[in-house]
Amino acid sequence: MSNATLEAVSPSLQPQPGAPDNWRRFFSFSTDHKVIGIQYIVTAFIFFLFGGLLAMVMRGELITPEADLVDRTVYNGLFTMHGTIMLFMWTFPMLNGLANYLVPLQIGARDMAFPRLNAAAFWMVPVFGVILTLSFFVPGGPSQSGWWAYPPVSLQNPTGNLINGQSLWLLAVALSGVSSIMGAVNIVTTIFRMRAPGMGWFKMPAFCWTVLSAQMIQLVGLPALTAGAVTLLLDLTVGTSFFNPELGGDPVLYQHFFWFYSHPAVYVIILPIFGVFSEIFPVYARKPLFGYRVVAVSSLIITGLSLIVWVHHMFASGTPGWMRMLFMFTTMAISVPTGIKVFAWVATIWGGKLRLNTAMLFALGGLSTFLFAGITGIMLASAPFDIHVNNTYFVVGHFHYVINGAVVMGFYAAIYHWFPKMTGRMYYEGLGKLHCALTFIGINLIFLPMHPLGLMGMPRRVASYDPEFAFWNVLASLGGFLLGVSTLPFILNMLSSWAQGKQAPDNPWRAIGLEWLVSSPPPHENFEQLPIVVSAPYGYGSDEPLVANDPAHKPTHDLTEGVSP
Amino acid sequence: MNRRTIGVLVGLAIADLLASLWIGQQAYTWMPPQASAESVLVDNLFSFMTTLGSFIFLGVMGTLLYAILFQRAAKYDASDGPNIEGNVKLEVVWTTIPILLVIWIATVSYQTYDRMSILGPMEPLPMGMATAEAAPTDRAASVTSPPIQVFARQWAWEFHYPEAGVRSTELHLPVNQRAQLVLSSEDVLHGFFVPAFRVKQDVVPGREINFEFTPIREGRYRLRDSEYSGTYFAANQTNVVVESSEDYQDWLAMAAARSPFPAENVAFEAFNQTDASAIGLGWKTVEPAPAPLVNFASSEEDTYE
Ligand code: HEM
Ligand SMILES: [Cu+2]
């Protein structure tokens, strides 16, 4: 096993991360995985705020039944770009940021397998981010066909221009796919090839298991999405007829392409957050992760099953009855490994010695919203019920409970938990708890009302609606504005803590894990000597050491020699 | 575990069960009126899933809340909790129970879908076997024959009754008869959705989709486009009227006697207004099809349930 990165990078050319005065490194083509991780997270968060702003305009429109705040075309552009930005510019880059920062530290590597590929994958993000943003300013406005871009609506091009919102959108999505594939190759290789001596599969932290499972989905699924996007782009620009019914194409075929990737994509999103939960609960409950091996392996089972459930997004589409029933059963099956994880976290927390720091509170909030979303998810898996609520606000409620509930709260939990490691500073608990309370209330206030709305029959993607839906929509809009406000204490906390927070010790939470054995922030190349791992990752309540050496200091004799194969 | 703990646990489980059964009953009130045979089936299924879901949600959240309230570390207690790494028996239990639960849910769902048979019977049934239960027993005699043609377009609904020679933007159906529709679209995807019937089907351009259900309650209900169809998607709605067989026949005769006129159409009118006002705060849109020429038109002024 090679200890250095698989690609040779001359260390002297690299700005030294960890040097607090060296903020310029965040604007450079740095190949340090920690710099890239933070670059991803900060870039993604800026787009999160942008996507959130679009959502607040939408909630402003929806606070009254009539389409009165913005034109209908503008509303349609808003929800399309909101969904697109939140997925491709926020969620995926944010998760790549967490994986980039944490995986090498947690597996005891000095960097990713391919540092330059890593940097290139990151720098594509601002490129397609700019393309998406510019599409607001082309004639005809940005894409208005929803984040699914279903043809034939996505092929209708009212301006007749070659460069239009939809073609820019497809270009950006294709680039995002390429960037994600580059990231996935890198992360999977890193986890396979660069684990520290002694770190067998069942000594690897659960977060790395989930990242591995998620990135393997990317490798299998993204080619389908990219193929779908490219063929649709051809239909749109050069008039091929893959999906255009007027020319004999089949619009339902596109839906299969799209969901074959985009269902697994939801697991690409949630799996690393499962990993975050599995890391955080043991630390703040002071107990080992309950059933660690089962939790680890269930991620891989989810990966496998996630590839055979996509038609549950098409229960009301042009699909025959037998297909609906078949995919109903596979979808039901995928909730079993998911349920196992939830029970394992509860058992981890149960009987522990809980410390309700901001990170723990966010993780608990994320777990509870996930539980709710999992239950509505199983309801949606039931085809005859889904036929009623498909394409209504019930579905919107379901997936926002997962993505804005579990994923965003899980992200915040991760940021608070690893903030001292990333920056070398402590954050302010009071502001953190305020942030947590506002977020949790905001999320429930905006997304809970969407469930009764969907049951009553309010379709999603509407700029106007019948007056009987007004009551719940007003509540949801108020929740939306509250959620917008809730980001302020977070931003304030992060900026001021990073600038002048208390100096963080190496391991402020007394957590077990390789990343906590090195200084905060970790030095360039992380470990003075590669750790020799001798225990499973969650030894709370036992005295067994995690490693056989002190990875933060140079050895007197190089212990790793002769250990690595 | 001593007897007392077991007693408390059983008591809590019963309380959870009672609360869930109550919530499951509430589920019916979250739905629109039950205006079709299918809606009865779907609501029963939803109530069943709500009961199960509530049982799990309350059970898990109760456990978590108890831990959060009563299992906190004392302020200066830096010690760890017990080193429990797992428990095979428990893990087998909480794998088996969810497997059984989802098999149960899937089976009930399968039966429900089979009875609805909204796309017609799922498998071609051998002669003499009972057809879908939701369909009235004397199926062949009581269908609306021939099927009603449903045309969806950007952005209007049009219903064509071929035998009576009627075109309408309001869908009229006789109560307690199997309604048979043929859905087709002239431009993009649309969705045929009547919340009070709990049925929905995407309308796919280039295909004709046979769709059926059984209205069981007289009244006027909302029909909505459920598959995003572009600029005026939200306005692409109309009404369904379910009426007695006699009223239905009278309506057909009355409508057939009228000569066609352009129907009220929200999209077309709104488009012409914005076009005339020229403030141009929107982007260029696909032009709506002209208001359909019909013998009978629905009105946005009409009330519905
Ligand atoms: C217990 C596990 C889950 C089940 C059984 C489940 C089931 C479903 C089903 C059947 C739908 C389609 C509903 C419809 O369009 O009519 C759906 C939609 C969705 N789910 Fe889940 N889900 C689960 C968990 C998740 C997770 C973990 C995520 C993600 C992070 C997620 C994200 C989504 C999204 C984004 C959509 C909607 C996509 C769209 O229509 O734009 N779900 N879910
Ligand atoms: Cu899915």
Side-chain angles (χ1 to χ4, degrees), chain A residues 259 262-264 266-267 309-310 312-313:
Chain A
W259 288 114
S262 294
H263 172 77
V266 309
Y267 283 94
V309 302
W310 76 94
H312 66 222
H313 295 274

Side-chain angles (χ1 to χ4, degrees), chain A residues 157-171:
Chain A
N157 176 6
T159 59
N161 298 344
L162 191 61
I163 298 200
N164 55 60
Q166 189 65 56
S167 58
L168 290 177
W169 186 92
L170 285 165
L171 183 67

